[in-house]
Every structure is written in structure tokens, then in C-alpha cells.
Amino acid sequence: MENYFKRVGKGSVTIFLCIVLSGIFGYFLRMYLTRTVSVAEYGLFFAVFSLIAFLVSIIGLGLYSSLTKYLSEFIVTNELKKIKYSLKFVFLAQLAITMIFMLVIFFISHDIAIYFFKSQAAEPILNILLVFLLVYTWMFFFRHAFQGMRRMLELGFTFILYSGLALLFLIALFSFSSSMITNIAYAYVLGTAATVIVCFIFFLKDLRQLGKIPSLSKKEKAVVRKSLIMFGIPVIFIGIANSILSNIDTLIITYFRSTYEVGIYQTALPTAQILLYFSSAMTTILFPIITELWTKKKYQFISTNLSLLTKLTFLLIIPAAMLFIAFPENVINILFGADYISGAFALQLLTISIAVFSIGMLFTITLNGMNKPGLNAKIIGIAAVLNIIINIFLVPILGIIGAAITAIITFGLYFLLSSACVIREFKKKNISFTVPYKELAKIFAGVYISLTIIFITKIMLVSHPLIELAAALMLGVGFYIFWVFYAKCITKNDIKTIKKTSLPIPAFILDTLERFAKN
């Protein structure tokens, strides 16, 4: 079983580092924009971008997730003909669907700009981003193919290229032309197109090898096609629901409030989403592995280690969460400037919601790996519908604070429903799985005390903001680390399990942690 530990360890570290580096480029891009364009222009672009991001999930029709799942299975069973046909079918199907959506949106882009975004300036941005929609779906295809084929290095590299090249093109465009908001859209198109070219080069060797593989018969193609579509049908609703959870708040703020508020919200939200880096890395590598393990009926192995991963994910995101909750004004001011500080309270609320969502992600990806996308669709669908209803009620009254409160409510429900369904699925296999609620409660108690220490330190210590921040964090995080071991949030057995992975943690650190950890 150590092979799985090592695959999770190596894959997670690779994806985590790539996502972090990609996130750094993404934040430099946003930091550059907030210092180059006005708050309203920044908000207008990301309002339009949210609409395009919403369309990406609809256009996917669940086929990308199907591709990841079945490529993983076909590799295990060494069915190269099915791999070849799956790649061809998904690519051509997505290309056709994307072109149809592009044409429809293009012909109504003027009306969308006037009646939804309430700005003529949105029309050229929308039309340029339609080209982005096309190349982005191609990049999505390659990402899911790499994921299904367990090529995590190439997958991670696409994240870095996408953000890094978009940043480079953005700086170049603003340097050599006027500061037009359309430059942002052009930068995303060019960065994504260049990433697709690199992905194609990575994939060229595979395409040549697959080209030598005989094709399936018509009957065999129909079977594979049916499998991909049937798995994808419920995933369609998962994609739409996920897109609602990710983008509908921005779109509702756009419609009921203003692009200025969208600009403020679009600094608080991506900052809180930094917490997703670790869980995103975990879920990316876990999906094909859980699919493989479930196929091989290794239910107990999944159950035992999923509980540990849940606890570790929560433990690791807490320090950053404490920073965002205790010093929201400082974080926003450093990253985006003083014009965006009014998003501080929204950042505190969104941090809580994203921390809860991070754990729920582990459970929903587990359900997909268990071949239960329909169940997953119901969970995310319920959360998405509730998200729309509450947002429509709260956003007109409370603005971005209403959107942040909605996120806490819906992501809390998402976590509870997904964990309950995972427990039920294990129970059907006569396997006991327990969400580590006791340990999570202990961690939460430690966070509460740590934040209390930080806030008291801030009140008592009147000094330079950076000195105040450093001193308060040192005391708060120091107590948190002490609490983790004192309250047995992490045990010797947990450390021993971590040692089985290939995580690049020096042995002396793990030995020290094991020495302090209790049984």
C-alpha cells in the first residue's frame, strides 16, 4: 500500500507547488491591475470573466470528469484502444458544443452588455473573452487528460503557464499600448493560447503512439461513448452547481449593486481562496487514485486515510485563515492597495466559508471516485439552489457582506451533506468511516483561543503595523502549534503515516514532531 502513499505524497506536492506558483502569478496580475485601472473597471472585467467561467462549466457537459475517470480505469486495465477513442470523442464533442455557445453569445453580446452589465464597455470584453472560452476549453481538455493519465508534472505545469503567461502578456500590452480594459481580455486569450500550444507539444508523443493503435469497432465505440456520457450526465449538474457556487455571487452583485462593489469583492474572494491551494492539490491527485482503489475494492484503505487527510487539510489551512481573519485590512492593503480595504469584513467571512468548503471538497471528490456522481450532483445542486436564493435575498440589502454570509451558510450545508453521504457509501460496503469531528472541534477551539490572543495583543501593543502584525502572529500561531500537540489533534500514528509518503519534509522535522506528538 505504500505505493499509494507515495503517489499521493509526490502528486500532492507537485500540484501544490504548481498551484502556489500559479497563484502567485495570478495575484501579481490582480495586484498589477488594481494599480493600473479603476476599481469599477477592475470590477467590470471580472464580472464579465465570471460569466465566461460560468459558461465553461456548462459547456463541459461532464465529459472532462468522465475523461479523467475512464482514462484512469483504462490505464489500469491496459485498454489502449478505449483511451484513444475517449480522447478523440471528448475533444470533438467539446469543440462542437463550444462553437455553438460562442455563436449564440456573440449574437446577443450587445444585449447582455446593456441589460445585464449595464455598460457598453462590457461588449468588447465579452466578445474577446469568447475566443478565450474556446482556447480555455482546449486547455481544460489537456488538463483532464494529464490528470487521468497521472502525469502530474505536466498537469501542474499548465497551471503555472496559464497564470504566468497571462501576466507577461498583460504587462506587455499595457506597456506598449494605452491602458484599455480590453488589454486584460487579450492577455488572457494570448496566455491561454500559448499554454494550449505547450500542452499539445507535451501530448505529441502520446498522440503518435495512439495513432498506431487500431480503432475500436462501431459497437465498442458506442459502449465507450455511452459510458462517458452516462457518467457525465450527473456531472453536468455538478459542474453547473459548482459554477453557481463559484460565480453566481459576483454576477448577482453585478446585477443588483455595481461593478465598483464587484471590484471590492473580487479582491476579498480570491484572497480567501488561497486556502484552497492545499485541498485543490489533494483532490486533483486523489480523484484518479480513489477511482483505482474503489475499482480494486480497497475500501478500508480509502476509509482509514480519508479521515487523516480531512484532519491534516484543516490543520494546514488554519494558519493562513488566522492571518486573514486577524489582519484583513493589512492583507488587502498590501496586496491590492488602500482603495480596496472596504472588503476587509467580507474577507473575514469568506475565509470561514472557504475553510469549510476545503473539507467538503475532499468528500465530494471521494464520491466521484466511488462512481457516485449522481449523489454528488444532488449535494452540490442543493447547495447551489440555496446559494442563489439567499444571495438574491441578501445581496440587494447587504451587498458583498450578504454574498459572504451566503457562502458560509451554503458551504456549511455542502460539508454536512457530503460527509453524510460518504459515511453512507462506506456503510454499504460494511466499512466504518468516521469524520474526525472530535479532532476538528479541538482544532476549532485552538483557533478560537489563538485568535483571542492575537486580538488582545493587537489591542495592547501600539506600535508600527508590521511589528504589531509579527508579534501578534508569533504569539497566536505559537499557541496554535502548542495546542495541536497538547490536545492530540495530531498523534504519533499520524506522523508515522506521513512518513510513508514522499513528502519533501526533512526526516529530523518529522522525528521531532513524532517526539512531541502523543499516542
Side-chain angles (χ1 to χ4, degrees):
M1 290 297 180
E2 284 193 22
N3 181 45
Y4 291 106
F5 282 120
K6 289 180 179 179
R7 280 169 56 190
V8 172
K10 288 181 179 178
S12 296
V13 169
T14 300
I15 296 298
F16 176 73
L17 293 176
C18 291
I19 289 176
V20 168
L21 189 54
S22 170
I24 290 172
F25 287 139
Y27 273 92
F28 275 127
L29 186 149
R30 287 177 180 262
M31 289 165 67
Y32 181 83
L33 285 177
T34 55
R35 289 161 174 80
T36 306
V37 300
S38 69
V39 176
E41 288 176 323
Y42 175 85
L44 177 61
F45 174 78
F46 280 104
V48 180
F49 192 84
S50 293
L51 176 61
I52 296 298
F54 181 76
L55 291 176
V56 168
S57 296
I58 298 175
I59 290 171
L61 293 180
L63 289 177
Y64 291 129
S65 293
S66 293
L67 183 65
T68 299
K69 171 182 167 54
Y70 283 105
L71 282 182
S72 181
E73 289 189 6
F74 295 153
I75 287 173
V76 172
T77 54
N78 197 33
E79 296 179 274
L80 298 180
K81 291 182 181 179
K82 291 183 178 180
I83 292 174
K84 176 182 177 179
Y85 181 71
S86 297
L87 289 167
K88 181 179 179 180
F89 171 73
V90 171
F91 179 81
L92 293 177
Q94 294 305 136
L95 177 61
I97 296 165
T98 303
M99 294 300 294
I100 292 170
F101 268 84
M102 285 179 66
L103 289 172
V104 172
I105 299 298
F106 176 76
F107 284 116
I108 62 173
S109 60
H110 178 75
D111 292 331
I112 294 174
I114 298 300
Y115 296 109
F116 185 81
F117 294 107
K118 303 178 182 68
S119 172
Q120 182 68 50
E123 185 177 358
I125 299 172
L126 180 57
N127 287 332
I128 296 168
L129 287 180
L130 286 177
V131 181
F132 165 79
L133 178 65
L134 176 63
V135 291
Y136 191 82
T137 54
W138 290 344
M139 184 180 72
F140 233 51
F141 166 81
F142 283 115
R143 280 184 178 176
H144 281 268
F146 289 142
Q147 185 183 2
M149 298 169 78
R150 305 169 196 155
R151 293 170 58 176
M152 296 301 154
L153 185 61
E154 290 94 332
L155 173 61
F157 197 52
T158 65
F159 288 100
I160 298 173
L161 280 176
Y162 169 64
S163 296
L165 291 174
L167 174 61
L168 289 176
F169 280 116
L170 180 71
I171 294 172
L173 288 169
F174 273 104
S175 298
F176 296 107
S177 64
S178 60
S179 298
M180 295 175 60
I181 192 172
T182 50
N183 284 342
I184 313 172
Y186 283 122
Y188 272 97
V189 171
L190 293 171
T192 310
T195 303
V196 169
I197 292 171
V198 174
C199 287
F200 179 76
I201 294 171
F202 284 158
F203 219 75
L204 201 55
K205 183 179 178 181
D206 299 276
L207 291 176
R208 287 171 179 166
Q209 290 177 343
L210 290 172
K212 301 174 183 178
I213 303 297
S215 298
L216 295 171
S217 66
K218 288 185 178 180
K219 185 176 180 180
E220 289 173 323
K221 287 180 179 179
V223 172
V224 173
R225 196 162 53 240
K226 181 179 179 181
S227 297
L228 290 166
I229 293 172
M230 292 306 293
F231 183 87
I233 288 174
V235 178
I236 296 172
F237 300 103
I238 295 174
I240 294 173
N242 268 327
S243 191
I244 289 172
L245 292 175
S246 302
N247 301 295
I248 202 67
D249 46 3
T250 298
L251 295 175
I252 291 176
I253 294 169
T254 302
Y255 187 78
F256 285 106
R257 305 289 287 199
S258 66
T259 53
Y260 177 87
E261 287 190 57
V262 172
I264 300 297
Y265 190 72
Q266 278 295 322
T267 55
L269 179 61
T271 302
Q273 288 175 335
I274 289 175
L275 303 182
L276 291 176
Y277 285 175
F278 183 75
S279 55
S280 295
M282 291 298 294
T283 54
T284 299
I285 184 65
L286 277 178
F287 180 34
I289 289 179
I290 290 175
T291 297
E292 180 180 333
L293 288 170
W294 199 260
T295 302
K296 294 180 177 180
K297 304 186 187 309
K298 300 183 185 295
Y299 310 127
Q300 186 60 58
F301 184 79
I302 300 174
S303 172
T304 302
N305 292 286
L306 181 61
S307 182
L308 174 60
L309 288 173
T310 301
K311 182 171 62 174
L312 290 179
T313 299
F314 200 58
L315 276 169
L316 290 171
I317 66 176
I318 287 303
M322 287 196 293
L323 173 64
F324 298 157
I325 292 172
F327 298 95
E329 295 89 355
N330 303 70
V331 171
I332 291 177
N333 187 33
I334 291 171
L335 290 176
F336 304 108
D339 290 341
Y340 295 85
I341 287 180
S342 57
F345 185 43
L347 173 57
Q348 290 175 313
L349 296 176
L350 287 168
T351 297
I352 297 170
S353 69
I354 296 297
V356 175
F357 182 70
S358 296
I359 308 302
M361 283 178 64
L362 294 177
F363 297 137
T364 51
I365 208 69
T366 299
L367 288 172
N368 271 355
M370 292 173 168
N371 200 25
K372 295 292 180 181
L375 191 56
N376 202 358
K378 291 177 184 177
I379 294 167
I380 301 176
I382 292 170
V385 171
L386 186 64
N387 187 280
I388 294 173
I389 294 171
I390 301 177
N391 263 317
I392 290 174
F393 178 73
L394 291 183
V395 167
I397 303 169
L398 300 175
I400 63 175
I401 302 302
I405 293 172
T406 301
I408 292 176
I409 296 170
T410 52
F411 290 162
L413 177 65
Y414 171 85
F415 165 74
L416 292 173
L417 290 177
S418 60
S419 60
C421 289
V422 168
I423 291 171
R424 189 180 70 177
E425 291 305 313
F426 275 116
K427 191 174 182 180
K428 289 179 180 178
K429 303 296 182 182
N430 296 316
I431 300 294
S432 175
F433 171 74
T434 304
V435 177
Y437 288 117
K438 183 179 178 181
E439 288 82 358
L440 294 180
K442 288 179 182 178
I443 296 170
F444 181 79
V447 171
Y448 181 82
I449 299 171
S450 298
L451 285 174
T452 301
I453 292 172
I454 290 173
F455 284 120
I456 291 174
T457 305
K458 286 175 64 178
I459 293 170
M460 295 179 64
L461 186 63
V462 180
S463 182
H464 188 279
L466 290 179
I467 296 176
E468 178 185 300
L469 186 150
L473 275 181
M474 190 178 300
L475 290 173
V477 174
F479 175 82
Y480 173 72
I481 294 172
F482 162 77
W483 178 267
V484 165
F485 291 101
Y486 175 78
K488 297 182 182 180
C489 299
I490 189 166
T491 65
K492 288 185 182 294
N493 286 334
D494 296 335
I495 302 298
K496 288 176 182 177
T497 300
I498 294 172
K499 283 184 174 182
K500 294 178 182 178
T501 70
S502 295
L503 291 171
I505 303 173
F508 77 91
I509 293 179
L510 290 174
D511 291 338
T512 303
L513 292 176
E514 188 176 359
R515 193 176 303 120
F516 283 103
K518 299 179 181 180
N519 291 316

